Amino acid sequence: MPTSRSFTPALLGLLLIGAAAPSLAVAPKKTPIVATSAQAAPSAATVARWKAAAERVTIMRDKWGIPHVFGRTDADTVFGTLYAQAEDDFNRIELNYINAMGRLAEVEGEAEIWRDLRMKLYVQPAAMQAQYAASPAWLQNLMKAFADGLNYYLYTHPEVKPKLLTHFEPWMALTFSEGSIGGDIESIELADLAAFYGKRPAVAQLNAQLDLKRHDPRGFAPEPRGSNGFAIAPKLSANGRALLMINPHTSFYFRPEVHMVSEEGLNAYGAVTWGQFFIYQGFNDKLGWMHTSGGGDVIDEYLETVVDRNGEYFYKYGKHEAPMRKVAIALPYKMPDGTMASRSVTAYFTHHGPVVRAEGGKWVSVKLMDDPLNALTQSYTRTKARDYSAFYKAMELRTNSSNNTVYADAKGNIAYFHGNFIPKRDPRVDWTRPVDGSNPANEWQRLHEIDETITLFNPASGYIFNTNNWPCTAAGVSSPKCASYPSYMWSLPENARGRNAARVFKEAKGLDIDSLIAASYDTRLQAFEPLVPAVIADYDALPPEDPRKAALAEQIDALRSWNMRYAIDSVPTSLAVYWGQDLVAQHGARAKLETIPPVDYIAQRLTPADRLDGLLRASEKLTADFGDWRTPWGEINRFQRLSGAVDQQYDDSEPSIPVPFTSANWGSLASFGMTAKQTTKRIYGDRGNSFVAAVEFGPKVRAKSILAGGQSSDPRSPHFNDQAAMYARGEFKDVLFYKEDIERNLERKYHPGK
């Protein structure tokens, strides 16, 4: 077993008012130990059970390598689905659960212990096992099938060597019950945890450092995490059927494409996050759902007034003091020589949640949704809903905390839910900032009922969209009136994609799958609509003797003639994007300080000199990197997949494919951005459009889809990059939803293990 030592904060004699947070020291690790992760061979009875389940499952791989998994029961289909996922990318499945259980440092080393601590503040095996035991029998069966499918894969593939998890348990499914890695937990800053629970400088100095960190961004945050969801009512479609556009913006290869079918009524198709047994964004033969990020404000911080009573910590609440709950958390990690060591920290909790940092002499605790059993139930049951009423019932579990939902069905209904888990609070309080934890009036009261939240059902406008923006423009003239709701119900402002979508769908009519795809890939870069005319006016106002008059003449001519639409052969697209990137890099810190989105800030607050000088710098960078600022966009913006690694590496000397669409920051509805540290001259996308599908609901469902790259993570597979060229062109493949269509396009048909 790993050695560990626990620790408590240094006792600094905290005062009741304005107490300084302690400087918390971590016990040094001195005794390295060897990791043991070997799993005993399964019993004959276990293997027999696995083989019996495998015989009840048929996996049909179509010509794109997409697995269509058919089982007698839902549990059989879950078994086959996890087996098929493991065939395509066991590495990502394992890493997702290593991360979900807070065990990443055991694989990656000591640098990841704070990420592990963040997960372990909420995810503990004993608690998950208790929730598993309390689960209904039908859900336990699915979780057993989840574990069995993965374990049978490892049993039948002894050449696969897991990094850590040699055996999966049913309860592990509860550690990862929502479709986003980490979910709400990722809102907790790792640097804050390291500062609070690690050995760091004095508190006053620490707080100053953290304040500087929060207000010192370097341009954009990474490529926007989120998605687009569009629903079209029959009145705007060509054949009187509802349409749905499913357009997640995630890291590439984050979700594969899967079809799950059972004789118990399961028939769901779409994107499944590696290692989960439910379709996260997709459709069945009667309805479809698309999740976009950025609903209401559902994570709150509380400033706790902490008192030291002879080495025990209490916090003020009302007229009383309550004891802090202490939990010793072990943090094993891998040493550089491959042996294992461990730290142990004592984590502190109030009734609001775990303490995650110090601020202004207070300790800060975090309150967020923590209901994995109901979250997993909701995630699965919505995939089996057959109509709006059943889907609504699944939504009433109210555990989809980080998402909005865009919906359409075969009866012609379209709907929208802005958020799902939304606590009722005092609307007079500013919940965007930490609130006084000692004041009982600042408590969450109850969850808002669905009909109290911001929703839409069959709006008169005939369309619904969300682009991780506010709901105030979601349906044109039929949009919700945001002023009618507490401000905490919507947390994000309008964005350039939202303005673009509003323009596109305001005039839309007679849509079918193909024209919906075209609308969803509309080429206009809306963010430049105010910027380009402004810089042209700036240039025109320059006196003739200004050196920028000659230096920028050709660039301004290029922008003057530009229609603000991206294209592979477009030089103005290259110039505009590099110019915009420069402006954000130069002025993003000020935008952050004033809490204004960077794109809005550079459109509204910059001077003529700011804009013109930025255009000069952008021209110089293009020339330095590519030999001429007149470089077409397709020479710069590329798709490249060289390996199946989670952290992709890029190489300008290796083959790549030109991609016309840009970062979503510029209003491109089709998103393609780079979040990896750029060591190349070219831009290689790694986040944005990944799995995308357009669906038409009627007597029979019809759909088209595309994946970034392909279904398999194995470079030797024909399905590693077989969709890459189509992806770059915005060209979709037909979804093979019905068995007869799958049979006509069949590559392989087999039982798991054979």
Side-chain angles (χ1 to χ4, degrees), residues 522-580:
D522 184 89
T523 60
R524 188 166 181 85
L525 298 180
Q526 200 74 22
F528 291 107
E529 190 171 79
L531 285 170
V532 169
V535 78
I536 290 172
D538 297 337
Y539 176 83
D540 290 342
L542 286 175
E545 64 275 12
D546 192 303
R548 291 172 296 186
K549 197 73 171 179
L552 291 174
E554 292 185 64
Q555 292 92 321
I556 292 295
D557 284 345
L559 293 177
R560 204 187 297 273
S561 62
W562 187 40
N563 59 6
M564 283 181 272
R565 292 184 175 276
Y566 62 68
I568 283 177
D569 60 356
S570 171
V571 169
T573 301
S574 305
L575 183 61
V577 169
Y578 271 64
W579 174 48

Side-chain angles (χ1 to χ4, degrees), residues 493-496 499 531 591 596-606:
E494 182 60 288
N495 59 30
R499 289 189 283 269
L531 285 170
I596 299 174
V599 169
D600 291 346
Y601 186 91
I602 64 175
Q604 300 165 7
R605 299 296 183 89
L606 301 192

Side-chain angles (χ1 to χ4, degrees), residues 35-40 86 90-107 116 120 125 146-147 149-155 157 160-173 175-176 274-275 340:
T36 57
S37 59
Q39 176 67 28
F90 176 79
N91 180 44
R92 278 183 170 80
I93 294 173
E94 186 190 15
L95 281 176
N96 283 352
Y97 281 93
I98 289 172
N99 181 73
M101 293 188 292
R103 301 186 64 184
L104 195 60
E106 295 176 56
V107 173
D116 287 352
K120 287 180 175 179
F146 144 84
L150 291 172
N151 291 329
Y152 188 53
Y153 170 80
L154 290 175
Y155 174 76
H157 291 76
V160 174
K161 305 299 181 185
K163 292 179 172 64
L164 182 68
L165 304 179
T166 59
H167 184 75
F168 289 80
E169 297 289 342
W171 60 266
M172 292 180 182
T175 69
F176 189 17
W274 293 107
M340 295 292 290

